[in-house]
Amino acid sequence: MARQVLLFISLLAVGSVLGQVSYTIPEEMTKGSLVGNIAQDLGLQIKRLTSGKARIYARDTDQYVELNRERGVLLVKERIDREALCKQTTPCALHFQIILENPMEFYTVTVQITDINDNAPTFKKTKTIFKISETALIGAKFVLERAVDLDVEMNSVQSYELKPTDNFALKLYSNSDGNKNVEMVLQKPLDREKQEQISLVLTAVDGGEPQMSGTMQILITVLDANDNAPVFTQKTYKATVTENSLKGTVVATVTASDADQGSNSKITYSITNAADDDTRIFEINEENGNVVLIGIIDYEKSRNYQINLLASDEGGLTDSCKLIVDVQDVNDNKPEINIMSKSAVISEDANPNTVVTMINIEDKDSGENGKVQCFMSDNVPFELRASSNNFYTLVTDSDLDREKASEYNITVTCSDEGVPSLSSSVTLTLQVSDVNDNAPVFERSSYEAYIVENNTPGLSIFTVKATDADWNQNARVSYILEDSSVNGVPVSSYVSVSADSGVIHAVRSFDYEQIKDFHFRVKAQDGGSPPLSSNVTVKIMIQDQNDNPPQVLYPVQTGGSLVAEMVPRSADVGYLVTKVVAVDVDSGQNAWLSYKLQKATDRALFEVGLQNGEIRTIRQVTDKDAVKQRLTVIVEDNGQPSRSATVVVNVAVADSFPEVLSEFTELTHDKEYNDNLTFYLVLALAVVSFLFITCLVVIISVKIYRWRQSRILYHSNLPVIPYYPPRYSDTLGTGTLPHVYNYEVCRTTDSRKSDCKFGRAGSQNVLIMDPSSTGTMQRIQSEKSILDEPDSPLEVMVIISVKIYRWRQSRILYHSNLPVIPYYPPRYSDTLGTGTLPHVYNYEVCRTTDSRKSDCKFGRAGSQNVLIMDPSSTGTMQRIQSEKSILDEPDSPLEVS
């Protein structure tokens, strides 16, 4: 099987290769037959056909050729019938393109189909009847129907043969269009009397191998004398008709004349075209020769028609002519836009000049009606470039940004140059795929959030929010708490961040008094590859809550001893008695303290400063005012709800210290303690007989108990801070040392609590003034206190009861963690004193016990120096030194009372 291959290679303007390959194959090849090695002829490797997804693009729906990518060859897909495909058109060829992608390329392939002799010549009619007059002259011509052979060139009809040849000979001559007219020429006169019917056989033979033939029977009826045949006025007629002309339009009129008269001159017109197509489009009026349009004329299907006409008289004589009809084109076809290959998705980082779509434009019209110009919609980053042979490529002409436009609807419109112009358009939808080119962006440059202290762990504080302009996974934001520390502690122990929602939760409960604010950084990271991130600073502000009540620093509340402020009766209005000092560890308005007088023995005598806590007199002190004054001051903060603390201030209205002692002897215990004390005294009296027997055991137990107490006291390394109480003067002293100086020491024990205790005196020095003396003083040194030991079993029981009572009272006192802060109360002077030592100095010792509680206890004095003035002396004083306090232990049940 002979096969011809032509290969032409050219370059497109846009850079994609356009190759042209031509093959020649015969028709009727079996399915799967080889057409050509396309890979070899185009210079392509077979793996390029596979990776480029090579495929055939054919404009027509039927594909007769298929591509085998693995072998790189073209094969016959369906049986090809050249006559059905091209009819009489030569040459007959198939045109299609081979498309490759990544990068996008296409090649034009032409497969020319050669004819084989597979069709025998045929006649439209199997039998033709002629009526010929016997007077027909020698040389009279009778036009015969041509045979039709669907094959072309040498395989078409090449010769005719007429048998028998007694009266007629066959004459052939060629027309200008290459077709042959067949005529039967009379060679011998006819004699109706000898032979009225003559039967001939016309055989058409083609030139193929093997030769094929077709026959038609000719029946001749010999008529009586009609010796003039019709004659057309022209041998060739020409006419023009516009395509899409209406049916019934007269295309042309032919005329023939006959010199005979009568019935022998009556002419009948007919069409003798062998092809059926012409007879379905045109018809001729048998009487007047008008050629009328009965079908639809389409310039794109056939641009001209050749019609063979026959004029016959009743005598059987005929003449023939030819009518050529030219069809004028009308702009009745819109441009056809064919998408050869396209990409539905393009990456936003695609380089400029990236080919997106390849299209082919075809307009079936001709001339100006077939010239097409294409353009596309504006404001898109694409360009439509023309290549050749009505091929266009759509390429990118600038950078793409999916965040600005994620989809493009590109409308391509093509218009011809006809009048009026026709156009068609197609819309291409192109999705822009995302690239991770945008980092998450927080809504704010920094965040501040507030949370109230004492919050519940796990409480949601607030939410940080970041957005990513990318799409899908590239826009999925995760939140990460960056590593940092707050006061040396990892920030993760303070807060946590939800990775998905950005909600910040408190990990612990915050205390404003420990930390007021802190900051950290949160990172927002997208899910791209590689991921992009950004961070933001978050500051958490702890808001104070009124969770701490005021703490009273002064006056210090004692449990078993009495502390009183002295006011002389000569005090004027506004006299500063003392000052209540309190603090609140909260802040802001929660720490704003106000002082109010809640209770008072005489509310008309004292007032409390609302802001400063100063207790002052509001009127002149008189002799009628009671010596003993008890004030209850309440200290409130400004929080919501408000918290408060109360303090009891004992005030002595007196001009001398003995007057105060005589008045406050009964106040060694508060009134609220007396009921319980009475109960213990009654109990002691009830069991006195029993205790009489066991008094020795009790005394030993007391000694052991005191020894244990001395062992558990913790020694403090804190400094001693002096405290200076009011000054008092004695108006009754007449000696050279008229005043009494008391020294009290403040100390603390080194423990985890801030319990306040007052220890007992380690020694005691007593100066006794003899009133009969002349001012000299005696000093008495003793090893023990005057009332150190009880004198009777009753006293022992009373002491045990008092000890137990005091121990119970010390257990219920409030635990304090406050540091010792010195307070300096106002100084008082005695207008009646005449001694050389007018002031009294008191020193207090504060200490804590080493325990896990914060009980506040007041210990007994460790030492005491007492100066006793003898009123009979001349100013001398005696000092008594003792191991215990003068009133350390009671001497009798009366003293207990």
Side-chain angles (χ1 to χ4, degrees):
M1 176 176 57
R3 181 166 53 85
Q4 299 176 356
V5 178
L6 297 176
L7 176 63
F8 301 92
I9 305 296
S10 63
L11 294 178
L12 284 174
V14 295
S16 54
V17 178
L18 173 64
Q20 187 170 0
V21 180
S22 178
Y23 296 96
T24 302
I25 61 173
E27 65 171 332
E28 302 296 338
M29 291 182 68
T30 59
K31 183 177 179 180
S33 299
L34 177 67
V35 176
N37 192 327
I38 189 66
Q40 178 180 349
D41 296 336
L42 291 177
L44 299 175
Q45 297 186 7
I46 294 178
K47 64 179 181 179
R48 171 64 181 128
L49 297 179
T50 304
S51 62
K53 300 179 181 180
R55 58 186 176 84
I56 292 177
Y57 168 79
R59 188 177 297 119
D60 298 330
T61 56
D62 296 330
Q63 291 188 8
Y64 295 94
V65 178
E66 65 180 357
L67 173 63
N68 189 312
R69 296 179 189 170
E70 289 74 19
R71 296 171 54 192
V73 296
L74 294 176
L75 303 176
V76 175
K77 183 179 181 181
E78 298 291 340
R79 186 184 67 86
I80 302 175
D81 187 358
R82 193 206 66 82
E83 288 75 23
L85 183 64
C86 301
K87 297 184 180 180
Q88 296 297 313
T89 302
T90 56
C92 180
L94 296 174
H95 301 280
F96 55 89
Q97 287 77 33
I98 294 180
I99 307 297
L100 292 91
E101 298 178 358
N102 300 321
M104 193 173 290
E105 300 174 333
F106 76 97
Y107 302 87
T108 300
V109 179
T110 301
V111 179
Q112 187 171 350
I113 311 302
T114 59
D115 185 47
I116 63 174
N117 191 26
D118 58 340
N119 292 283
T122 58
F123 292 90
K124 182 179 178 181
K125 299 178 182 179
T126 59
K127 181 174 19 177
T128 300
I129 298 175
F130 287 94
K131 294 180 179 180
I132 303 174
S133 176
E134 62 180 351
T135 59
L137 299 176
I138 302 275
K141 296 180 292 182
F142 302 92
V143 178
L144 299 177
E145 178 184 354
R146 290 180 301 175
V148 175
D149 194 330
L150 297 180
D151 298 325
V152 295
E153 298 179 350
M154 292 301 298
N155 294 326
S156 63
V157 176
Q158 298 297 319
S159 63
Y160 291 87
E161 186 179 54
L162 183 64
K163 291 181 179 179
T165 57
D166 296 338
N167 299 98
F168 296 91
L170 195 62
K171 183 178 180 180
L172 302 175
Y173 62 92
S174 300
N175 292 328
S176 59
D177 58 356
N179 293 322
K180 294 180 179 180
N181 285 345
V182 182
E183 292 184 347
M184 184 176 60
V185 180
L186 183 62
Q187 293 181 342
K188 181 179 178 180
L190 299 175
D191 188 354
R192 187 186 64 83
E193 288 72 16
K194 289 183 177 181
Q195 190 176 8
E196 186 177 358
Q197 297 287 337
I198 299 174
S199 176
L200 303 175
V201 175
L202 178 63
T203 302
V205 180
D206 61 22
E209 293 182 2
Q211 282 188 338
M212 303 184 73
S213 61
T215 60
M216 179 182 66
Q217 184 180 12
I218 302 174
L219 297 177
I220 300 174
T221 300
V222 180
L223 301 176
D224 194 22
N226 181 17
D227 51 356
N228 291 291
V231 179
F232 282 101
T233 57
Q234 300 177 25
K235 279 296 183 183
T236 302
Y237 292 87
K238 291 186 177 181
T240 302
V241 64
T242 303
E243 70 170 326
N244 300 326
S245 295
L246 299 177
K247 294 180 180 180
T249 300
V250 177
V251 177
T253 300
V254 297
T255 304
S257 60
D258 194 325
D260 293 330
Q261 294 181 348
S263 60
N264 291 329
S265 63
K266 187 177 180 181
I267 298 174
T268 301
Y269 299 96
S270 62
I271 297 175
T272 61
N273 278 44
D276 294 336
D277 294 341
D278 296 342
T279 59
R280 289 196 296 267
I281 297 175
F282 303 98
E283 71 175 4
I284 190 170
N285 191 306
E286 293 181 353
E287 295 180 357
N288 55 24
N290 290 335
V291 178
V292 180
L293 184 64
I294 61 172
I296 297 175
I297 294 180
D298 189 353
Y299 176 83
E300 287 69 42
K301 291 183 178 180
S302 180
R303 300 184 179 185
N304 58 68
Y305 295 91
Q306 180 175 318
I307 305 173
N308 296 320
L309 302 177
L310 183 65
S312 303
D313 60 16
E314 291 189 355
L317 300 178
T318 61
D319 192 13
S320 62
C321 70
K322 181 170 61 176
L323 174 62
I324 298 175
V325 179
D326 293 326
V327 181
Q328 289 184 339
D329 184 38
V330 174
N331 190 25
D332 60 341
N333 291 282
K334 296 180 180 180
E336 294 181 3
I337 302 175
N338 302 306
I339 307 298
M340 297 176 58
S341 181
K342 69 175 182 179
S343 299
V345 179
I346 185 171
S347 177
E348 65 175 323
D349 61 349
N351 296 325
N353 298 324
T354 299
V355 178
V356 177
T357 302
M358 302 182 67
I359 60 177
N360 172 253
I361 311 300
E362 181 182 7
D363 195 324
K364 295 181 180 179
D365 296 323
S366 62
E368 298 296 323
N369 296 332
K371 292 182 179 180
V372 180
Q373 296 293 332
C374 295
F375 55 91
M376 57 179 294
S377 53
D378 298 331
N379 301 323
V380 291
F382 300 94
E383 181 183 1
L384 191 65
R385 297 178 181 177
S387 55
S388 61
N389 299 328
N390 291 332
F391 284 96
Y392 289 84
T393 56
L394 182 66
V395 299
T396 58
D397 67 345
S398 63
D399 294 330
L400 304 177
D401 190 351
R402 193 207 66 84
E403 288 69 47
K404 294 182 179 178
S406 61
E407 179 181 281
Y408 290 96
N409 292 318
I410 307 169
T411 301
V412 178
T413 303
C414 298
S415 302
D416 59 27
E417 297 182 4
V419 179
S421 176
L422 298 179
S423 64
S424 59
S425 62
V426 63
T427 299
L428 306 174
T429 300
L430 183 64
Q431 301 286 341
V432 181
S433 62
D434 185 47
V435 174
N436 190 27
D437 56 350
N438 290 279
V441 178
F442 283 95
E443 294 177 346
R444 302 179 191 173
S445 59
S446 63
Y447 289 88
E448 284 190 1
Y450 297 86
I451 183 173
V452 179
E453 66 171 332
N454 301 320
N455 59 286
T456 303
L459 178 68
S460 173
I461 303 177
F462 78 111
T463 302
V464 295
K465 182 66 175 179
T467 57
D468 196 315
D470 293 323
W471 180 77
N472 204 1
Q473 185 67 24
N474 294 331
R476 185 172 298 170
V477 179
S478 299
Y479 302 92
I480 302 171
L481 181 64
E482 292 190 352
D483 293 334
S484 62
S485 62
V486 178
N487 298 329
V489 179
V491 72
S492 58
S493 64
Y494 284 83
V495 294
S496 65
V497 179
S498 175
D500 297 329
S501 62
V503 178
I504 297 179
H505 298 272
V507 175
R508 62 168 62 176
S509 178
F510 297 108
D511 187 355
Y512 178 83
E513 287 70 42
Q514 294 182 359
I515 182 170
K516 294 178 174 55
D517 61 72
F518 63 94
H519 64 271
F520 54 91
R521 295 179 72 83
V522 176
K523 180 171 70 174
Q525 178 174 292
D526 60 26
S529 180
L532 301 178
S533 63
S534 61
N535 49 38
V536 68
T537 300
V538 180
K539 185 175 183 182
I540 303 297
M541 317 284 280
I542 313 299
Q543 291 182 328
D544 184 43
Q545 196 176 35
N546 192 24
D547 56 345
N548 292 284
Q551 300 292 324
V552 178
L553 301 181
Y554 184 85
V556 178
Q557 297 297 288
T558 60
S561 61
L562 182 63
V563 178
E565 306 290 344
M566 180 172 287
V567 177
R569 295 188 182 276
S570 60
D572 295 329
V573 177
Y575 179 84
L576 178 61
V577 178
T578 185
K579 181 177 181 179
V580 177
V581 179
V583 295
D584 195 324
V585 295
D586 293 324
S587 65
Q589 67 177 7
N590 294 329
W592 298 350
L593 300 181
S594 60
Y595 302 84
K596 297 178 183 179
L597 186 60
Q598 187 179 31
K599 296 180 189 178
T601 305
D602 188 353
R603 298 187 68 92
L605 182 57
F606 301 100
E607 68 174 359
V608 179
L610 181 64
Q611 303 298 331
N612 54 24
E614 293 179 350
I615 300 177
R616 294 179 182 270
T617 59
I618 58 177
R619 62 175 175 81
Q620 184 71 39
V621 180
T622 65
D623 294 337
K624 296 179 179 181
D625 294 325
V627 175
K628 179 180 61 177
Q629 297 286 337
R630 182 183 178 89
L631 308 179
T632 303
V633 179
I634 182 170
V635 185
E636 294 183 341
D637 59 26
N638 199 34
Q640 293 295 330
S642 176
R643 290 177 174 265
S644 63
T646 59
V647 59
V648 176
V649 180
N650 294 310
V651 179
V653 180
D655 291 328
S656 63
F657 186 75
E659 184 181 356
V660 175
L661 287 178
S662 63
E663 187 68 29
F664 279 82
T665 302
E666 299 177 357
L667 297 179
T668 55
H669 303 286
D670 293 335
K671 183 180 179 180
E672 56 268 23
Y673 305 147
N674 291 338
D675 294 338
N676 292 332
L677 181 58
T678 302
F679 169 77
Y680 292 119
L681 292 175
V682 173
L683 180 63
L685 292 175
V687 296
V688 65
S689 59
F690 175 77
L691 291 177
F692 178 76
I693 301 174
T694 58
C695 62
L696 293 176
V697 178
V698 172
I699 292 173
I700 295 173
S701 300
V702 171
K703 291 294 183 178
I704 295 173
Y705 171 78
R706 289 176 179 174
W707 176 80
R708 290 186 61 196
Q709 290 295 322
S710 65
R711 297 291 294 174
I712 64 173
L713 291 178
Y714 198 89
H715 305 287
S716 172
N717 293 322
L718 295 179
V720 177
I721 302 173
Y723 161 69
Y724 306 98
R727 300 172 57 193
Y728 299 90
S729 63
D730 187 1
T731 60
L732 300 177
T734 58
T736 59
L737 296 175
H739 296 93
V740 178
Y741 292 82
N742 294 328
Y743 296 87
E744 296 180 3
V745 181
C746 295
R747 62 185 179 184
T748 61
T749 57
D750 188 8
S751 68
R752 297 180 182 176
K753 301 190 299 180
S754 295
D755 301 334
C756 185
K757 291 188 176 181
F758 294 91
R760 297 180 56 190
S763 65
Q764 188 176 56
N765 295 323
V766 181
L767 290 179
I768 302 175
M769 177 64 74
D770 186 0
S772 63
S773 66
T774 59
T776 61
M777 299 182 69
Q778 297 179 1
R779 179 171 183 177
I780 301 173
Q781 179 72 29
S782 63
E783 289 299 324
K784 293 187 179 182
S785 176
I786 299 172
L787 303 176
D788 190 25
E789 295 296 336
D791 295 333
S792 66
L794 178 61
E795 291 179 18
V796 172
M797 295 306 302
V798 172
I799 290 173
I800 293 174
S801 301
V802 172
K803 291 292 186 178
I804 296 174
Y805 172 75
R806 288 179 178 176
W807 176 79
R808 289 188 59 198
Q809 291 299 317
S810 66
R811 300 297 294 175
I812 63 174
L813 291 178
Y814 189 80
H815 308 281
S816 171
N817 292 320
L818 296 177
V820 177
I821 300 175
Y823 166 68
Y824 309 97
R827 301 173 60 190
Y828 300 89
S829 63
D830 187 3
T831 58
L832 301 179
T834 58
T836 60
L837 297 176
H839 300 91
V840 177
Y841 295 86
N842 296 325
Y843 295 87
E844 296 180 8
V845 177
C846 296
R847 64 185 179 187
T848 60
T849 58
D850 189 10
S851 66
R852 295 185 181 179
K853 300 181 183 178
S854 296
D855 300 337
C856 184
K857 296 184 179 181
F858 294 91
R860 300 177 61 185
S863 65
Q864 189 174 45
N865 295 324
V866 181
L867 292 177
I868 302 176
M869 178 63 75
D870 186 3
S872 64
S873 67
T874 58
T876 60
M877 300 182 69
Q878 295 180 0
R879 182 171 184 178
I880 301 173
Q881 180 69 26
S882 64
E883 287 298 324
K884 295 187 178 181
S885 176
I886 299 172
L887 301 176
D888 190 24
E889 298 294 341
D891 295 335
S892 65
L894 179 59
E895 289 182 24
V896 173
S897 301

